Amino acid sequence: MSSGELIFEVLRKSVHLVSILIVLIYEYFGKQAVLWVLMLFLIVVLVLDYFRLEQDMKIPFFHTMYREKEGCRLGGHIYFALGAVAVICLFSREIAYAAILMTTLGDLVAALIGKFYGKRRVFHTTFKNDKSLEGSGAELLVDFTVGLLILGNPFVALVMAFFATLAETAVNKIDDNLVVPLFSGFFGQMTVLVLAHI
């Protein structure tokens, strides 16, 4: 990986860390406030993507943040915002926090560890991609830690981390920014409900 590619990847992934703001707004201002912020964000970025995709305009700074495969489709930040809206609306506050942070922190760690240290590309046959075992393992560990810190229940944290990592590793054409929060949040919430009735 060249230094230019590295800088691009770190910059692109660090933008995702603004998702921490979603959690903070939810915590301090409530569900309605964070949903309004996400809706306003979606309106703004959809307008920008209209000009980028429909009018072939290059929006200063923003056009450099898109991967080549996003050149003619919606960017991952839109799918992430939709995923965040869904988990905030449907799941408990703690499950939503964990799902949102697993999506960003897990993805960040998986990408960086996979690119720097990923040697075992074992998912060719199963998932038809070149993601590494090292990247997926690092994501599982980070996701589990996030879940444990937020939820305090190691079993629920492990279930969420497993489904977040599986979704991240398995999808190639569907945007992982949407799949990861939905799957980790859904299975986390179902686990909480089952445990409450045991």
Side-chain angles (χ1 to χ4, degrees), residues 4 16 35 57 59 75 82 92-93 99 127-128 138 146 149 195:
H16 289 174
L35 289 173
M57 290 177 62
I59 312 294
L82 292 171
S92 72
R93 182 186 297 239
F127 300 127
K128 297 179 176 48
V146 166
L149 289 172
L195 291 175

Side-chain angles (χ1 to χ4, degrees), residues 98-192:
I100 289 167
L101 293 177
M102 284 180 184
T103 304
T104 53
L105 299 177
D107 182 46
L108 172 66
V109 169
L112 295 178
I113 295 296
K115 287 183 188 302
F116 284 116
Y117 304 106
K119 293 185 175 28
R120 296 174 187 85
R121 310 280 174 178
V122 298
F123 302 114
H124 292 290
T125 306
T126 310
F127 300 127
K128 297 179 176 48
N129 63 45
D130 67 344
K131 294 176 183 178
S132 71
L133 188 61
E134 293 83 356
S136 294
E139 178 176 10
L140 181 65
L141 182 61
V142 167
D143 287 347
F144 174 72
T145 303
V146 166
L148 189 60
L149 289 172
I150 293 172
L151 302 165
N153 183 315
F155 185 69
V156 178
L158 184 60
V159 168
M160 289 188 72
F162 172 78
F163 281 101
T165 304
L166 178 64
E168 173 73 36
T169 305
V171 298
N172 298 308
K173 296 180 181 176
I174 303 171
D175 198 291
D176 59 351
N177 292 296
L178 178 62
V179 176
V180 172
L182 290 179
F183 274 68
S184 61
F186 174 79
F187 285 102
Q189 193 70 64
M190 291 303 100
T191 304
V192 168

Side-chain angles (χ1 to χ4, degrees), residues 33-54:
V34 75
L35 289 173
W36 272 106
V37 168
L38 285 166
M39 280 299 128
L40 290 172
F41 171 79
L42 276 169
I43 295 295
V44 170
V45 294
L46 284 169
V47 168
L48 290 174
D49 262 12
Y50 167 79
F51 286 110
R52 180 177 70 89
L53 297 172
E54 304 281 348

Side-chain angles (χ1 to χ4, degrees), residues 5-53:
E5 290 174 321
L6 171 63
I7 291 168
F8 172 76
E9 192 63 31
V10 170
L11 181 60
R12 192 176 184 283
K13 295 297 183 186
S14 65
V15 168
H16 289 174
L17 292 178
V18 299
S19 65
I20 294 169
L21 285 175
I22 296 172
V23 172
L24 292 174
I25 292 168
Y26 191 175
E27 180 66 22
Y28 291 105
F29 298 100
K31 181 184 282 192
Q32 286 302 313
V34 75
L35 289 173
W36 272 106
V37 168
L38 285 166
M39 280 299 128
L40 290 172
F41 171 79
L42 276 169
I43 295 295
V44 170
V45 294
L46 284 169
V47 168
L48 290 174
D49 262 12
Y50 167 79
F51 286 110
R52 180 177 70 89
L53 297 172

